[in-house]
Amino acid sequence: MSNKEFIVAKDNDGKSILKFLIGELKPRGKFLTPFNIISFPVMIIGLFLIIIRFWKGLGAVSNVTQDIPWGLWKGFNVVTGVAFAGGAFVVTFMVYILNIHKYHSIVRITVLNGFLAYMFYAGALILDLGRPWHIINPLIGNSFGTSSVLFLIAWHFMLYMVAQLIEFSPAIAEWLGAKRMRKVLSGMTVATVIFGITLSTLHQSGLGALYLMAKDKIHPLWYSEFIPITFFVSSIFAGLSMVIFEGSISRRVFFNLISEDNYRSHDDIVIGLSKICSVTMFAYFFLQVLVFVHGQRWEYLNTPMGYWYLTEMLGFVLLPMLLFLFSYKNRNIGLVKVAAFITMIGIILNRLNVSIIGYRWDAAVRYIPSWMELIVTFAVIFTQIWIFRWVVNRLPVLRESPSWVNEQNN
Amino acid sequence: MNLDRKKFLKVLGVTGLSLAVGKESTGAPNEAPVEFKGILYDSTRCAGCQTCETVCAEVNGLPVPTETIETGVIRNTDDQHRTVVNSFKTSKGDAFLKKQCMHCNEPACAAACLTQAMYKTKEGPVVWNGDKCMGCRYCMVSCPFDIPRFEYHSANPKIEKCNMCYARLGEGQKPACVENCPAEALMFGTRRELIREARKRIVENPDQYFDHIYGENEAGGTGYLYLSAVPFEELGLKPLQKESYPSLSKGFLYSVPSVFVLWPAILLGIREATKNNNSNIIENE
């Protein structure tokens, strides 16, 4: 290498950046794991179905109807997926705004998870667009639909992905051994965190605000003018439950990457998160009760939809809230994980109840997703996990940063 | 002091006046105000001949419908039917109702559209522009009448809905359904004229009509107006709120700028306030 500019990766044994990247692209570890055996065919079939979808139209793959135009790809991938990605703004809030350094070791993995979630769920949005070649229209000046909540969400998705990429970028710089770049990028962290939290507040609630105009179409037990607030509050514990869930899996899958210190501090973090979850879930439950009483909805309770509503509120909000509280008092890590899992199911139920199950619940033809929609949904999730795994195995996400980072900080 | 106050009031008055009338006075005074056009549909006159369905399909290049009307069987608009006429069993015998886009004064679909592909023209029709639409179908989610329809089986799908024959209006013609209705159940005109006409019909034949103009206030007022012999619920029309549907998400949208200004300041403040908790621990990472 005659050109010194290219030799940036001194820590990587002085290899050129190109050789280094090619080396990193190679798969690592065993290929025939149970996860790979299940996920690989799903991804291949999913890709095939996506080609059919663009070739023959949305109706060839999806069961959405004229009355129920938003199906699984919007209701699950986008509306639910983004709630689960809320962990990033909560954790960065605690670490960089409240200065609670206990949670520092989970910032990177949470931000990475959030970034990939947004990337793939915004990607799922493109699959669902009938005329995706016009996706640039809301972003260029001549067609600003500023009265649309979806316009706000489109911009926020894009800006928040950039913010998360900047928040994560010091890890990329460390991986490439780019010392000066890391210094510049990590200097931007606090500003992007503040920007990112502001964006998250608005688009997490905005996903609920999307449904404000569908007042007569959503079952009255799930519709209220407070949807934006309930969506925002629930995104806090949805995101944290995802962090707990993902953390318990990462600990097993990537145990060789996690330093001993972080491995030990993990329990403390989980207990702390369970406390936050129980408090925000209490606020959420209280809010839902207020909405229910204020809206005088007693008459709907003794109906099938009413029982379904009670199942969601009691079984998937109140119960996990009490479990979080109990396990926080008793430092029961296993129970926290159970509570996180129930909470996640509760969030899926809640988002689907608003966007699909309770949406036009009175329609003549109900929407039930086709197997092809399900396959594509899982293909999107699996692809995200594959990329997540690739990054975690290579970049300093769970593992310690290279030694020169400490020198830089001091 | 007194003088100052007088002066102050004078300035205030002038400012207030110019603020109140300023908009009108700066506009071109020669331009005649454009009024929304609309269509009055009188269910008591409709014979259910389906001529409107046929001409609508012909004008818009859609397959001409072959199904006939059957009482109690509800047909719906879809990507090949911009309008349908249904027959209902009512307390005063069978009655027809034509369904199509209502051309709201403040359309939910247009407020929902993030590319301004769906918009309310100044003449009154709500129309769709395929050059801007990205096919997100949020208009379909938002429309309280379930009107915008999507071509699910096309690789280049369009949104199908009645556009009040916007192109024909430009040529000085009436919408095709109005022009061809043999029973004169449809009437085209400015919304103001149509409401006057509807009132006149109700007053002159109080026994024949149910005393309500559907669309005068529903959903903030619609361009299509309905008259009927029976309460409109019997014709499958749900009672809707009087406020426009875009007003439902206005509160949220208005809060966005304040959050954008206040949040960063508050967050920065909290950060500074909590900084000394662990000042010896490294910050930026």
Side-chain angles (χ1 to χ4, degrees):
Chain A
M1 285 281 115
S2 57
N3 193 342
K4 274 189 181 155
E5 293 284 323
F6 281 91
I7 310 172
V8 284
K10 271 268 158 56
D11 272 55
N12 301 306
D13 311 324
K15 274 189 287 187
S16 83
I17 185 92
L18 203 65
K19 265 190 196 161
F20 168 68
L21 284 178
I22 291 169
E24 290 285 88
L25 273 177
K26 283 179 196 149
R28 285 182 191 173
K30 272 197 303 182
F31 186 74
L32 287 176
T33 58
F35 172 73
N36 285 358
I37 290 169
I38 297 168
S39 62
F40 196 69
V42 172
M43 284 156 65
I44 296 293
I45 301 169
L47 186 69
F48 188 66
L49 291 171
I50 289 169
I51 293 170
I52 295 179
R53 175 257 166 277
F54 281 108
W55 178 30
K56 295 269 188 182
L58 204 53
V61 171
S62 169
N63 269 355
V64 282
T65 66
Q66 298 291 0
D67 284 337
I68 302 166
W70 283 2
L72 200 63
W73 294 349
K74 281 232 171 81
F76 184 74
N77 286 26
V78 181
V79 178
T80 315
V82 167
F84 285 137
F89 85 86
V90 183
V91 171
T92 53
F93 175 75
M94 292 192 296
V95 172
Y96 294 103
I97 305 299
L98 296 182
N99 286 301
I100 310 174
H101 297 283
K102 184 167 102 179
Y103 300 107
H104 199 271
S105 61
I106 58 168
V107 166
R108 275 193 182 170
I109 188 126
T110 311
V111 171
L112 172 68
N113 205 357
F115 171 71
L116 290 178
Y118 274 85
M119 203 164 102
F120 279 89
Y121 303 150
L125 204 70
I126 295 173
L127 296 183
D128 199 62
L129 288 183
R131 306 163 71 83
W133 49 92
H134 285 156
I135 194 169
I136 198 77
N137 275 350
L139 305 179
I140 55 176
N142 65 342
S143 327
F144 279 179
T146 45
S147 61
S148 172
V149 179
L150 197 59
F151 175 78
L152 174 119
I153 291 179
W155 268 90
H156 279 207
F157 274 15
M158 197 185 60
L159 293 175
Y160 191 48
M161 281 201 297
V162 175
Q164 285 188 313
L165 190 62
I166 295 174
E167 283 169 27
F168 185 71
S169 60
I172 301 174
E174 285 167 22
W175 172 56
L176 296 173
K179 292 182 187 177
R180 203 186 300 155
M181 198 172 19
R182 188 199 171 276
K183 195 154 195 175
V184 174
L185 290 171
S186 61
M188 293 159 74
T189 300
V190 173
T192 43
V193 161
I194 288 176
F195 187 51
I197 295 169
T198 310
L199 290 174
S200 292
T201 311
L202 286 171
H203 71 243
Q204 292 287 1
S205 51
L207 283 173
L210 271 185
Y211 291 95
L212 284 175
M213 281 202 282
K215 186 185 176 190
D216 306 315
K217 301 187 183 184
I218 294 172
H219 192 280
L221 282 171
W222 283 277
Y223 181 91
S224 81
E225 64 265 44
F226 299 105
I227 302 186
I229 298 170
T230 54
F231 264 51
F232 172 69
V233 176
S234 55
S235 77
I236 296 174
F237 58 80
L240 291 183
S241 297
M242 184 69 183
V243 170
I244 295 170
F245 178 75
E246 172 270 318
S248 71
I249 292 175
S250 288
R251 253 162 80 88
R252 259 180 237 161
V253 180
F254 304 113
F255 67 93
N256 53 339
L257 300 175
I258 304 172
S259 73
E260 224 168 281
D261 278 352
N262 286 345
Y263 201 85
R264 248 182 280 128
S265 68
H266 186 254
D267 284 3
D268 229 29
I269 290 174
V270 169
I271 293 296
L273 293 180
S274 87
K275 184 184 171 188
I276 301 165
C277 280
S278 66
V279 172
T280 46
M281 284 175 94
F282 176 75
Y284 175 74
F285 187 75
F286 193 70
L287 195 64
Q288 290 282 14
V289 171
L290 278 185
V291 168
F292 180 85
V293 175
H294 188 72
Q296 297 177 338
R297 295 176 177 167
W298 301 99
E299 53 178 310
Y300 302 111
L301 266 195
N302 200 11
T303 62
M305 286 308 259
Y307 307 146
W308 185 233
Y309 174 81
L310 285 178
T311 311
E312 182 198 319
M313 284 303 147
L314 301 180
F316 294 93
V317 181
L318 192 64
L319 173 73
M321 180 194 97
L322 294 173
L323 287 180
F324 273 129
L325 192 69
F326 182 79
S327 46
Y328 164 70
K329 295 259 183 201
N330 297 293
R331 294 191 64 88
N332 187 337
I333 301 290
L335 203 59
V336 175
K337 287 173 189 168
V338 173
F341 190 70
I342 299 174
T343 306
M344 286 170 68
I345 294 176
I347 288 294
I348 295 174
L349 283 185
N350 175 258
R351 295 304 195 262
L352 293 187
N353 280 337
V354 172
S355 63
I356 294 175
I357 299 169
Y359 182 88
R360 283 306 308 271
W361 80 104
D362 53 348
V365 183
R366 296 302 312 264
Y367 160 81
I368 293 160
S370 70
W371 65 270
M372 293 180 278
E373 279 177 275
L374 279 167
I375 292 276
V376 172
T377 295
F378 279 109
V380 169
I381 296 170
F382 286 147
T383 316
Q384 189 213 341
I385 296 175
W386 274 62
I387 294 189
F388 180 76
R389 183 175 61 178
W390 186 90
V391 174
V392 171
N393 270 327
R394 284 158 186 80
L395 272 61
V397 178
L398 284 173
R399 79 179 77 177
E400 296 288 300
S401 298
S403 52
W404 53 264
V405 171
N406 272 330
E407 292 161 31
Q408 203 175 56
N409 279 328
N410 291 334
Chain B
M1 186 64 200
N2 236 350
L3 261 177
D4 277 356
R5 204 221 230 124
K6 234 180 199 169
K7 225 179 190 174
F8 171 67
L9 285 175
K10 212 171 169 183
V11 172
L12 194 73
V14 171
T15 321
L17 203 72
S18 53
L19 273 177
V21 297
K23 241 185 177 168
E24 278 93 324
S25 59
T26 49
N30 302 332
E31 220 175 280
V34 183
E35 277 192 60
F36 284 163
K37 295 278 198 307
I39 292 173
L40 173 66
Y41 169 74
D42 191 334
S43 166
T44 64
R45 294 187 184 185
C46 179
C49 66
Q50 292 181 287
T51 310
C52 52
E53 289 186 26
T54 311
V55 292
C56 178
E58 279 167 0
V59 165
N60 294 303
L62 296 167
V64 173
T66 51
E67 326 84 44
T68 50
I69 302 175
E70 233 179 286
T71 308
V73 178
I74 306 296
R75 295 184 304 139
N76 215 334
T77 53
D78 59 29
D79 54 342
Q80 303 195 325
H81 299 79
R82 290 188 179 190
T83 183
V84 291
V85 179
N86 283 314
S87 171
F88 295 83
K89 256 198 173 55
T90 70
S91 48
K92 290 193 178 176
D94 289 1
F96 296 103
L97 190 85
K98 180 176 182 294
K99 182 182 178 180
Q100 73 298 305
C101 174
M102 298 296 286
H103 300 282
C104 305
N105 289 348
E106 282 180 70
C109 57
C113 186
L114 74 167
T115 59
Q116 294 183 336
M118 194 74 87
Y119 64 102
K120 177 92 175 163
T121 59
K122 65 179 195 300
E123 294 86 357
V126 178
V127 299
W128 175 77
N129 176 356
D131 291 337
K132 290 190 171 178
C133 174
M134 54 192 243
C136 70
R137 308 192 297 291
Y138 187 33
C139 52
M140 300 169 72
V141 171
S142 304
C143 174
F145 301 101
D146 276 327
I147 290 303
R149 299 309 198 190
F150 185 79
E151 292 180 332
Y152 283 112
H153 291 278
S154 162
N156 183 8
K158 294 193 287 291
I159 294 282
E160 284 289 349
K161 74 179 246 333
C162 162
N163 60 7
M164 220 194 268
C165 289
Y166 188 54
R168 283 170 63 96
L169 298 193
E171 296 161 8
Q173 288 175 288
K174 287 179 183 176
C177 54
V178 178
E179 195 159 286
N180 293 289
C181 179
E184 292 189 355
L186 292 165
M187 183 181 166
F188 179 73
T190 68
R191 199 169 171 269
R192 193 192 304 270
E193 288 165 8
L194 295 176
I195 289 175
R196 207 179 293 146
E197 169 68 20
R199 287 232 176 85
K200 204 179 97 196
R201 287 187 199 175
I202 294 175
V203 170
E204 285 174 359
N205 302 294
D207 303 333
Q208 195 186 334
Y209 290 101
F210 175 67
D211 186 12
H212 182 76
I213 307 168
Y214 189 92
E216 187 182 5
N217 296 311
E218 274 78 7
T222 60
Y224 241 95
L225 300 160
Y226 285 165
L227 279 179
S228 135
V230 293
F232 288 92
E233 277 115 279
E234 294 187 34
L235 298 174
L237 288 171
K238 278 183 270 180
L240 297 178
Q241 61 170 21
K242 299 267 179 284
E243 299 80 33
S244 76
Y245 278 75
S247 68
L248 290 168
S249 52
K250 229 169 226 172
F252 174 77
L253 287 168
Y254 281 174
S255 73
V256 170
S258 8
V259 171
F260 246 115
V261 175
L262 294 177
W263 243 231
I266 293 171
L267 293 173
L268 207 60
I270 300 175
R271 179 180 152 81
E272 292 306 313
T274 57
K275 215 168 191 174
N276 292 331
N277 283 353
N278 313 285
S279 51
N280 52 341
I281 295 178
I282 307 144
E283 295 278 355
N284 289 339
E285 217 168 309

